[in-house]
Amino acid sequence: MNPPGPTLPLLRMEDISKSFSGVPVLRHVDFDLERGEIVGLLGENGAGKSTLMKILSGVHTEYEGRILLEGRPVRFRSPADAHEAGIGIVHQEFNLCPNLSAMENLFLGREHRGRGGLFSYARTREAARAAFRELGAEIDPEALVRDLGVAPQQMIEIAKALSHRPKILILDEPTAAIAGREIEALFRILRDLRSRGIAVVFISHKLREVLEISDRVVCLRDGEVSGRIATSSATEDRLISLMVGRDLGDLYSPRRRGPGEEVVLEVRGLCGPPRIRDVSFHIRRGEIVGLAGLIGAGRTEVARLIMGAEKKTAGRLFLEGREVRIRHPSDAVALGIGYVTEDRKRRGLVLPMSVRENVTLAVHRLVSGPLGLFRPDRERDLADRFIRELRMKVSGPEQVVRSLSGGNQQKVLLAKWMAIRPRVLILDEPTRGIDVGAKAEVHRIIAGLADEGLAILLISSELPEILHLSDRILVMHEGRLTADLPRAEASEEAILRAAVA
């Protein structure tokens, strides 16, 4: 074989096919990468994006087709093989040890050592600080991962992959849990990697980010390549069409009616850990109030304080004009307050359980008969109803939630809280990590719930989502509210200005 010449692509995947239990997931896919380019890889959940990258990174070892790296055939038998060849990957699902610190996870197996080869705590800590600083992430190197939120865990995963100095870096939904400064810092680093000849595969459902950072886009649909397009000539509408094979129309469903006058939830002087100070606001019947801010501003903390998941140090809550005391999430549920958490897999759903069991987790009283006896028929009827109403793509109520796509898992989580017949619904990053088609469906559900009179607090890092869905937008900075913007006065610039005030 002739030695690879300078014109050969860095990577070529040819005629890749892969099936699971006889079901084709990839069909004759060709994919290539040049040195120093960023390629956006798009597709709905289940299109085959992650499977293709797991083949490249050595996770899936049985497949048809071949891979050429720098012109030479390779077949990775393990992730360690791929890693040794210079391929780094940040999976959508975190691969961290929760009982270890951030710095121990970052340098696991590669701890910094001092004299005599002994572990150097100080050197490891300083190296971790430098790695996090480069990403613009404020993470305590000594903090246990189990005590960190989704966003810092995402940044640890990215920092870990970058610390290996890969030839090819695969990022699977890297911005799903981060926003603002963290995304800006990540994009700055990706552009620097590009300038140094490192190739990046950027998988994301955030089309604006793909258009901003990538040089070229490859779209998959039903396991096949549905299109390749230079980013310079791409639009969001064109990418959506290539991904889903149809025009979705408006991603944001129009509202049939506006908010009412009655205040359903009022929060006065809320204070609590880690630094929530004097937060006051209200939500009216049928109103969607957006809560925006940078990562770490305190949005999720406000939601958890309202729900009683964290203990507030001060503040009062009023529900339909009556003061209520919430000491535990069960108190909130009993009062008709639901909370769709940002971390559906750890805090929202029980993945090994069925759709039916997850939908009815919070409403045993509705699926019980006289004397509190459990009624399986009622439970199944309730699950069937939400499967129909939310258009879930499931084989039936007994399907295990773990096997569902991200969008359908999110619908199950929404159904769980809709089942309690809430008066107030808190939605924390309701479309994180789901594809554009599922996102449009979730937006339709949210608009429909508001039209039915539900008071909704919408927390989102996606400014277009906040701007299009909200009747009013609150902005937080370092634990305080810094703006209350009517929809007519809100813009991305106004929100960002208040978020850094």
Side-chain angles (χ1 to χ4, degrees), residues 224-271:
E224 299 178 329
V225 174
S226 57
R228 309 173 197 271
I229 187 169
T231 305
S232 58
S233 58
T235 64
E236 287 192 33
D237 287 345
R238 177 63 177 145
L239 294 179
I240 289 171
S241 177
L242 289 172
M243 288 165 59
V244 304
R246 64 190 188 280
D247 184 6
L248 283 180
D250 193 348
L251 283 175
Y252 303 96
S253 299
R255 297 276 295 279
R256 297 194 309 270
R257 58 177 62 91
E261 295 298 324
E262 181 189 1
V263 172
V264 178
L265 176 69
E266 183 179 2
V267 177
R268 294 184 192 171
L270 186 66
C271 301

Side-chain angles (χ1 to χ4, degrees), residues 287-467:
E287 184 178 34
I288 301 176
V289 172
L291 186 57
L294 302 177
I295 298 296
R299 300 167 303 165
T300 293
E301 288 80 359
V302 166
R304 290 177 60 80
L305 288 168
I306 291 172
M307 287 297 296
E310 300 289 347
K311 186 176 181 180
K312 67 179 186 294
T313 55
R316 303 167 71 188
L317 301 176
F318 295 82
L319 199 60
E320 296 177 345
R322 180 174 63 87
E323 185 167 8
V324 294
R325 300 187 184 279
I326 299 175
R327 298 182 177 86
H328 187 272
S330 61
D331 297 334
V333 173
L335 290 166
I337 304 176
Y339 175 38
V340 176
T341 172
E342 65 172 340
D343 190 352
R344 62 177 173 265
K345 295 193 175 182
R346 282 201 311 165
R347 292 178 173 170
L349 299 169
V350 183
L351 298 179
M353 292 171 62
S354 69
V355 172
R356 168 181 55 80
E357 291 167 314
N358 273 276
V359 166
T360 58
L361 271 176
V363 288
H364 280 192
R365 60 184 174 79
L366 294 181
V367 293
S368 300
L371 305 177
L373 297 177
F374 177 63
R375 289 280 303 274
D377 57 326
R378 289 189 180 181
E379 184 183 45
R380 187 180 182 90
D381 287 346
L382 189 63
D384 282 337
R385 179 187 131 207
F386 283 112
I387 288 172
R388 289 192 307 272
E389 285 184 10
L390 302 189
R391 304 177 191 172
M392 296 182 196
K393 293 180 181 177
V394 300
S395 61
E398 301 308 314
Q399 184 170 355
V400 173
V401 166
R402 179 183 280 122
S403 67
L404 300 179
S405 69
N408 284 294
Q409 287 184 359
Q410 195 68 12
K411 288 181 181 181
V412 173
L413 184 54
L414 279 165
K416 168 186 166 183
W417 291 112
M418 288 167 64
I420 74 168
R421 300 170 184 168
R423 291 183 278 181
V424 177
L425 187 59
I426 302 172
L427 303 171
D428 196 349
E429 303 289 1
T431 61
R432 183 174 73 84
I434 64 176
D435 64 58
V436 66
K439 188 174 291 188
E441 281 286 295
V442 171
H443 290 161
R444 176 187 63 80
I445 294 166
I446 293 171
L449 291 172
D451 284 340
E452 291 171 9
L454 207 60
I456 296 175
L457 180 65
L458 172 65
I459 302 170
S460 178
S461 299
E462 294 196 40
L463 293 186
E465 185 168 75
I466 284 276
L467 286 165

Side-chain angles (χ1 to χ4, degrees), residues 10-11 33 53-54 56-59 69 76 78-91 157-172 190 193 198-203:
L10 174 62
L11 171 77
L33 280 172
M53 291 300 103
K54 285 179 179 179
L56 177 57
S57 60
V59 175
L69 184 62
F76 302 129
S78 69
D81 269 1
H83 182 267
E84 188 67 25
I87 296 170
I89 184 167
V90 177
H91 293 287
E157 287 279 27
I158 293 170
K160 186 168 66 171
L162 290 173
S163 71
H164 290 280
R165 309 300 178 194
K167 295 177 184 177
I168 296 172
L169 178 63
I170 304 164
L171 299 173
D172 194 349
L190 295 185
L193 294 176
I198 295 168
V200 177
V201 182
F202 189 85
I203 303 173

